Every structure is written in C-alpha cells, then in structure tokens.
Amino acid sequence: MHGGPRYMNRRSFITSTGALLASRSLHALPIQKKQREAIPVGKADHSLRIEPCTLEIGPGVTIKTLAYNRQVPGPLLRLRTGVPVTIDVFNASPNADLVHWHGLAIDSLNDGAMEEGSPMIPAGSMYRYTFTPKPAGTRWYHTHASAYEDLSAGTYSGQFGFLLVEGKEQPAQYDQEINLAIHHWEPSFVPMVQMMREHSSNMPLTAGSDVGYKYATINSHMLGTGEPIRVKQGQRVLMRLLNASATENVVLALPGHSFRIIAMDGNPVPNPRPVELLSLAVAERIDAIVEMDAPGIWVLGSILEKERQMGLGIVVEYAERTGSPVWKDPPADEWDYTQFANVVEAPKPDETFVLTFRDSGPLHGSKFDTWTINNKSWPDIEPLTVQQGKRYRMVFRNGSGDQHPIHLHRHTFEVTRIGSKQMSGLMKDVINVMPLDTVEVDFVANNPGDTLLHCHQQLHMDFGFMQLIKYSG
C-alpha cells in the first residue's frame, strides 16, 4: 500500500462508503443469503457473474483475469430503447465491485459509479440493476472499481462487454455485423519519462510512473490466432469497434479498404464519410460500414508495428481466398473529429465552465502523478453546480503532455470546438483532448442526479482526475 493521506483517504472512502451503501440496499445481497424476503422478486432479464477466468489469447499465452460469465468480452446485451430492464450482477470475485452502464442516460443509483452514490457489490453478493435504457446506439458496460497500483483490478481486467440499445430505426443497411473490442494485457509500471519519449519527442517530460503492456487483443485473441473475420466480396459489413483498454489509445487500419463512419459513441454523426484510419481513444466507440471490395487475406490492426507484434489485430479473410495475411502501411493522415460534424456554430450556452488539466507530479511519497482540474484533485475538489434544463459549455484545457479521453456520465455532449475549429452536431460521451490542446463541449442538464466527469484512463482517474456535477434545488 503506497502513498500518503490523499490516497489513503480516498481508498478508505471507497471501501467504507461502498460497503455501507451496499449493505443498506435491499438488492445487494449475499448469494447464499437465506432471508428470501429481501431477494428481488422474479427472474432478471439478464445475469452477469464477476468471476476469475483464464484466457488463452495466443499459443502458449494465457491470461488470468476477472471477467463477466468467464468470457471476454462479456455477454452481448441487446436492449430496446425505452423498455425497462433488470440485470442481476453476482460478485464471485474477492473484492467489492460494480458495473457501469457506459453511455446510458439513467439514474445515478443504477449508473454504476460509487462517486455518484451507486452501491458497491460486496464479494459474495448480488445486486439487481433496474433501469430504462436510452438513447439507442452502441454502448458498453464495464467495471468502475478503482485499481491504484493493483494492475489486475479495474479496467486492467477483462470486465467489459458490448451493450447495444436498439431503436426503431436501422442505422444503415448491411449484410453482416461484427463487434470488435480492443484490450491490452499484462500491464506493468514503467517510468513516465520512458513512455513520453516513446510517444513524442517534443512533449514536456514528467516524473512518476505510467503503464506499459506485453500483449494486446481484439476480442480475446492476439493477431493470427482465433477465428478470422470471414467475409464475401460485395458485402457491406457493419463493424462496431470499442477501445476497452485501461490506458492505451489506438489507431487502426484495414489495407485496401476504407471505413465509412456512421456513428461515434453510438450516436449518428452529422457527416458520415469514409476514412483510411480509425482513431479510438480509451472508451470510445465507432460504428463503421466497410465495403468488402478488395478480395484477399488482410490484417485489420494497429498502424504501429510494435502493437501488431503485441497482438493488436485480427485477420479478415475473403471466401475462397488463401495465403498469408497481408499488411500494408496506410497513407499518413491525422485524425480530425471536425470532419464528421457540421461547420456551423453551436447555440450559445447559458453558462461556461473552464477546466484546466495538469499533473502535479508524485505527491506524498507516491510514485504516481496526481492529476488536477483547476489545481484540485478528487476527492478534494468542489462539484460543478448546474440547473435543470440549462445548456452548459465545458472548456477542456489540457495543460499536460498526455492525451485525455474525457467521459461525462449519464449525459451526451455536443462537441462545439477543437482548437480554433468551431463545429456542431457531433454528439459523444468521450472526447480525446490532445496534449496542450483545448476542446469545448456542450451538454444540457436534462438528467438530474449526481454526475461524474473524469478522464477514462484508469491511472489518471485513480489519482485525482475526477469531478462531480451536481444539480441545484
């Protein structure tokens, strides 16, 4: 156990508060509890079990982790927008945990974030989540537990899965749908200076530690192992891609093909268009239509050779084609959110919050950097206060050399400016803020209850990069 009072206080807060909330809930019950009168009535629509499992991600490469129902990704959950659902979560792991339903506009109690008041599920207990899913689109579910220096916990583990909320309208015409989740495995701490030098030669170097990985997978297999994606010439394939990594942003390509992006974070984009590269920050999702018009055996994978060697890729195999999978480096290009948005200016907000992100270096004897929002970090940071029905603009100023995928719980925001480019219409729940850049997003306060704002990189979130939004009245 490391660190000084700040981390001890937060860890104690998580343990004691989570256990107290769980013990007070009628739904957080020991699996073997005999008091049947407190058990939720009737069978749930879905059931998840948090438990240890062993994955063989490649020949002779096995991973021991926690997962849902002993599979990675967890079971695909298909829900209908506006139709109430119950999901029983059994915690058969050694520690208290909980599930966050990422991208849904639901109540704070069921959202699955302890900071908002969602109960932790003690080891050996069950909790029934009850909510009405909305909006429609590609969402996902994952643990929202802290990890700190335990790199087997939190989103370092295999606790993630796709959650598809189906609406009345079909997003696009397609012949086949494929869900692909990216994850990195066997993490270890490395000096922050080393990581910064590997990613950029002109960013300011910081002290402390970062996380590096040994392996990477798409779904549960490394590149070249497991079943390929099998397609036929002329097919239109809907690919749903999810970056379920704890800390790693990725850029992908499929040689000979383009991705027509139709949705981001599950929300239709105003300007669907084809691109050669897909950039996915931690927790982002992209829905893309791929026209299968280049017969062969191809590698869909990271544009970085080092990451493909770690396993970050999957083989795409056309019918009646044989041979070794082919990789070709794509043309150099820069990812630009604005190309999928409208160029007209967004409506003026009722109020603006300016939030500057920085790291304060290792504090209190810790080997990890503490992250701050306006020079304060969780839990010693005042909440933002909003009024129901008003439109708020958040100006994210990244004063650090790291990328930050910023996630807003229980709401969808509109991206209104990136750097000097104004925009509108692009609706997301995660936005990647590049080093030393500024991004502006607007949200309408239309879902009362405590709401968490945080960087989705596990290491940053664990060490201060969080803030609550509270509704007044």
Side-chain angles (χ1 to χ4, degrees):
M1 191 173 294
H2 72 85
R6 177 184 300 274
Y7 305 127
M8 290 297 293
N9 288 346
R10 184 179 172 219
R11 183 181 284 110
S12 300
F13 174 73
I14 288 172
T15 303
S16 60
T17 306
L20 178 61
L21 285 168
S23 68
R24 289 178 177 175
S25 171
L26 292 180
H27 299 323
L29 303 165
I31 295 172
Q32 303 298 328
K33 192 171 180 66
K34 296 181 180 180
Q35 296 178 347
R36 297 183 182 274
E37 68 276 8
I39 298 176
V41 177
K43 183 179 179 181
D45 299 304
H46 300 277
S47 179
L48 299 175
R49 186 179 178 91
I50 306 169
E51 58 189 329
C53 77
T54 300
L55 301 173
E56 186 175 358
I57 63 173
V61 182
T62 58
I63 301 291
K64 294 184 182 300
T65 189
L66 290 174
Y68 299 118
N69 298 11
R70 294 186 179 178
Q71 64 184 80
V72 175
L76 172 63
L77 300 182
R78 287 187 182 271
L79 311 180
R80 294 288 299 176
T81 183
V83 178
V85 66
T86 54
I87 304 175
D88 283 348
V89 177
F90 298 85
N91 185 4
S93 76
N95 301 306
D97 214 317
L98 76 174
V99 180
H100 170 47
W101 315 99
H102 185 123
L104 297 185
I106 59 178
D107 63 286
S108 300
L109 184 67
N110 284 284
D111 187 50
M114 180 276 298
E115 295 81 2
E116 297 174 348
S118 303
M120 297 294 287
I121 309 171
S125 296
M126 182 273 285
Y127 184 80
R128 173 167 288 184
Y129 291 91
T130 303
F131 55 84
T132 300
K134 63 177 182 178
T138 302
R139 315 298 165 189
W140 66 302
Y141 62 95
H142 59 86
T143 176
H144 212 277
S146 300
Y148 297 100
E149 73 274 24
D150 182 358
L151 298 186
S152 66
T155 53
Y156 300 111
S157 75
Q159 294 179 76
F160 59 88
F162 280 92
L163 189 158
L164 306 181
V165 183
E166 298 176 338
K168 295 180 180 179
E169 297 182 1
Q170 186 82 349
Q173 294 297 317
Y174 56 89
D175 303 302
Q176 183 182 175
E177 62 177 14
I178 298 171
N179 301 321
L180 303 171
I182 296 151
H183 196 67
H184 292 74
W185 301 98
E186 290 210 5
S188 61
F189 290 119
V190 296
M192 182 78 76
V193 169
Q194 177 182 330
M195 293 294 290
M196 296 295 288
R197 284 174 177 158
E198 287 182 2
H199 286 83
S200 176
S201 60
N202 57 9
M203 285 294 106
L205 299 180
T206 58
S209 294
D210 208 333
V211 179
Y213 300 84
K214 191 173 182 179
Y215 305 111
T217 59
I218 291 183
N219 292 343
S220 58
H221 290 94
M222 298 168 63
L223 175 61
T225 66
E227 292 295 315
I229 298 173
R230 293 188 171 89
V231 300
K232 296 179 181 179
Q233 186 174 358
Q235 278 189 326
R236 288 167 55 86
V237 176
L238 170 61
M239 292 188 180
R240 297 188 185 93
L241 298 107
L242 157 68
N243 185 353
S245 175
T247 62
E248 294 295 291
N249 300 337
V250 299
V251 181
L252 308 176
L254 175 57
H257 302 75
S258 61
F259 304 88
R260 181 175 177 81
I261 295 182
I262 61 172
M264 289 186 171
D265 294 349
N267 308 302
V269 300
N271 183 25
R273 58 171 298 165
V275 293
E276 301 293 320
L277 304 179
L278 291 181
S279 177
L280 285 156
V282 172
E284 285 189 309
R285 291 87 68 211
I286 287 178
D287 292 9
I289 296 291
V290 182
E291 301 274 358
M292 291 301 165
D293 53 9
I297 312 292
W298 301 99
V299 171
L300 165 58
S302 170
I303 65 170
L304 301 178
E305 182 179 2
K306 179 180 178 181
E307 286 201 322
R308 294 196 305 276
Q309 292 173 348
M310 290 169 57
L312 186 44
I314 189 169
V315 174
V316 176
E317 179 182 292
Y318 277 75
E320 300 178 355
R321 296 286 171 158
T322 60
S324 299
V326 174
W327 171 264
K328 295 180 180 178
D329 289 330
D333 198 7
E334 290 189 5
W335 182 253
D336 185 359
Y337 288 109
T338 64
Q339 64 187 315
F340 308 106
N342 298 322
V343 296
V344 297
E345 187 176 359
K348 298 293 184 183
D350 295 303
E351 189 175 342
T352 298
F353 300 113
V354 178
L355 307 175
T356 301
F357 313 139
R358 290 192 177 91
D359 62 275
S360 299
L363 300 178
H364 312 295
S366 169
K367 62 181 179 181
F368 306 103
D369 284 355
T370 296
W371 290 94
T372 63
I373 303 174
N374 292 347
N375 298 316
K376 293 187 178 182
S377 61
W378 182 269
D380 302 321
I381 181 171
E382 298 82 6
L384 304 175
T385 302
V386 299
Q387 294 180 6
Q388 186 172 353
K390 289 191 174 182
R391 181 183 179 95
Y392 293 88
R393 179 160 297 170
M394 294 188 291
V395 179
F396 299 144
R397 299 173 55 196
N398 187 356
S400 77
D402 272 24
Q403 300 180 37
H404 296 295
I406 306 299
H407 173 43
L408 177 64
H409 282 233
R410 306 179 54 251
H411 299 74
T412 300
F413 54 70
E414 181 177 10
V415 186
T416 56
R417 182 179 291 270
I418 296 179
S420 61
K421 295 182 180 180
Q422 69 178 23
M423 55 193 289
S424 62
L426 184 63
M427 309 301 294
K428 300 185 92 277
D429 57 58
V430 177
I431 186 72
N432 193 34
V433 186
M434 298 298 288
L436 308 181
D437 204 358
T438 298
V439 171
E440 299 181 11
V441 305
D442 289 11
F443 75 99
V444 177
N446 56 7
N447 192 15
D450 286 359
T451 300
L452 189 62
L453 174 75
H454 65 91
C455 177
H456 216 286
Q457 289 202 30
Q458 183 79 51
L459 192 64
H460 296 176
M461 180 172 59
D462 285 343
F463 291 95
F465 205 146
M466 296 197 298
Q467 187 171 17
L468 273 179
I469 298 172
K470 285 183 173 289
Y471 282 71
S472 63

